Amino acid sequence: MEKKVIMMVGEGDSPVMVYNYLTSHGIVIDKVIIEKPISPKVFLKRRIRNIGWIKVMGQVLNRIFVVPFLRWSSRERFKEIKELGNLDSTQIPGDKILRVPSVNSEECLEELRKQNPKVVGVVNTRIISGKTLKATEADFINIHAGITPGYRGWHGAYWALVRKDLAHCGVTVHKIDEGIDTGGILYQDTIDITDRDNYYTYPYLQLVKGLPLYKRAIEDMLNGDETFGSELATNEDGLYYHPTIWEYISNRVLLDVK
């Protein structure tokens, strides 16, 4: 198999930053497959089915009222983090991009077979089906904003702080299987948080800490040097979602978690 690397990503700034970091550090990315976002209607229906409409409504309110304020108030801190981690938002060259309806669509599977990569770097996609994972012999690798298995799902740093679990407030690079952030752990590390950080900036701190680990994992896979395990991994297994507006407010007031 040719030692080719491709990426499968969702829309947004983080996948762009990951691409630019990797390519500026010697990783050649042959193709970037970008999936279309799930429609809000479909997303909300699925989330309501999983956790109930009251909690989903609280998450929506948090997204509408809290997150924009945190984004605005964290402008300077965000600039510092980008400079600290050399996070580059320059758009991915158009000739590298293939847009597909979903990472599980037939268009994506066809491209995977065509590219026949050694490694597939994944960033911010929906859950990848077994059919997609089996479309190529490649290793699929994810950078996850949380220490697995204790903080699977969304906003692992935030929930670790809520639980006063600083030892597991960090980032994981892992192989991908059909579960939600359940694949074999390759690398993990913790992040350093200042009084100026909050729910909006935590994921970028995790990205800065995780990118060198992500690069190292890709190089490991290319060289056939695969080592699983991490001293940070916990025996607990937790799946977390976005906080509701009332969870965020109560955690900020009572626990001083921003």
Side-chain angles (χ1 to χ4, degrees), residues 43 45 50 76-77 150 160 164 167-168 181 203 205 209 233 257:
F43 176 82
K45 281 185 175 180
N50 288 334
E76 293 303 317
R77 176 59 176 155
K164 300 186 182 301
H168 298 100
D181 305 319
L205 291 173
K209 187 60 72 77
V257 176

Side-chain angles (χ1 to χ4, degrees), residues 4 30 33 45 54 57-58 61 100 141 146 149 162 197 220 235 249:
K4 182 184 290 187
D30 290 273
I33 302 173
K45 281 185 175 180
I54 294 177
M57 181 58 67
L61 292 174
V100 298
I141 302 176
V162 168
D197 290 307
D220 289 347
N235 292 325
I249 292 172

Side-chain angles (χ1 to χ4, degrees), residues 141-169:
I141 302 176
N142 183 45
I143 181 170
H144 170 65
I147 297 292
T148 62
Y151 297 95
R152 298 184 295 112
W154 295 90
H155 296 286
Y158 174 80
W159 291 113
L161 291 172
V162 168
R163 298 189 63 190
K164 300 186 182 301
D165 188 9
L166 292 177
H168 298 100
C169 181

Side-chain angles (χ1 to χ4, degrees), residues 34 54 60 63 75 78 84 92 101 139 160 179 195 215 228 244:
I34 303 178
I54 294 177
V60 171
R63 185 74 180 177
R75 299 187 309 279
F78 178 58
L84 171 69
I92 300 169
D139 293 302
D195 290 339
K215 170 181 172 287
F228 289 106
T244 62

Side-chain angles (χ1 to χ4, degrees), residues 191-206:
I191 61 173
D192 299 314
I193 294 171
T194 72
D195 290 339
R196 299 174 63 201
D197 290 307
N198 57 48
Y199 176 81
Y200 176 71
T201 65
Y202 302 149
Y204 291 101
L205 291 173
Q206 290 167 297

Side-chain angles (χ1 to χ4, degrees), residues 30-232:
D30 290 273
K31 182 66 68 173
V32 181
I33 302 173
I34 303 178
E35 69 172 1
K36 293 180 181 178
I38 301 173
S39 74
K41 184 177 180 180
V42 172
F43 176 82
L44 289 174
K45 281 185 175 180
R46 290 180 181 175
R47 185 59 61 84
I48 289 170
R49 186 167 61 246
N50 288 334
I51 63 176
W53 71 268
I54 294 177
K55 194 159 188 176
V56 170
M57 181 58 67
Q59 292 174 337
V60 171
L61 292 174
N62 188 60
R63 185 74 180 177
I64 292 173
F65 294 106
V66 174
V67 175
F69 171 75
L70 294 177
R71 184 185 298 118
W72 174 82
S73 63
S74 304
R75 299 187 309 279
E76 293 303 317
R77 176 59 176 155
F78 178 58
K79 289 179 182 178
E80 289 180 6
I81 294 171
K82 287 190 72 174
E83 292 175 1
L84 171 69
N86 295 314
L87 300 179
D88 181 1
S89 298
T90 304
Q91 290 303 302
I92 300 169
D95 62 346
K96 292 283 188 179
I97 294 174
L98 173 68
R99 297 187 181 277
V100 298
S102 160
V103 291
N104 299 316
S105 65
E106 191 56 40
E107 293 93 328
C108 184
L109 269 64
E110 289 177 3
E111 187 65 20
L112 286 172
R113 298 182 187 112
K114 174 184 173 182
Q115 293 291 335
N116 191 28
K118 175 70 173 175
V119 180
V120 179
V122 177
V123 186
N124 290 0
T125 70
R126 66 196 74 187
I127 304 244
I128 301 174
S129 71
K131 185 176 181 181
T132 299
L133 294 173
K134 294 171 185 173
T136 170
E137 295 181 4
D139 293 302
F140 289 73
I141 302 176
N142 183 45
I143 181 170
H144 170 65
I147 297 292
T148 62
Y151 297 95
R152 298 184 295 112
W154 295 90
H155 296 286
Y158 174 80
W159 291 113
L161 291 172
V162 168
R163 298 189 63 190
K164 300 186 182 301
D165 188 9
L166 292 177
H168 298 100
C169 181
V171 62
T172 300
V173 175
H174 65 89
K175 291 188 71 173
I176 293 177
D177 58 20
E178 293 182 56
I180 301 176
D181 305 319
T182 54
I185 297 166
L186 299 170
Y187 293 106
Q188 294 179 317
D189 203 353
T190 56
I191 61 173
D192 299 314
I193 294 171
T194 72
D195 290 339
R196 299 174 63 201
D197 290 307
N198 57 48
Y199 176 81
Y200 176 71
T201 65
Y202 302 149
Y204 291 101
L205 291 173
Q206 290 167 297
L207 186 61
V208 169
K209 187 60 72 77
L211 281 171
L213 306 180
Y214 199 52
K215 170 181 172 287
R216 189 189 309 172
I218 291 174
E219 291 173 336
D220 289 347
M221 297 300 105
L222 290 175
N223 295 326
D225 181 16
E226 180 179 297
T227 302
F228 289 106
S230 169
E231 62 183 15
L232 297 179

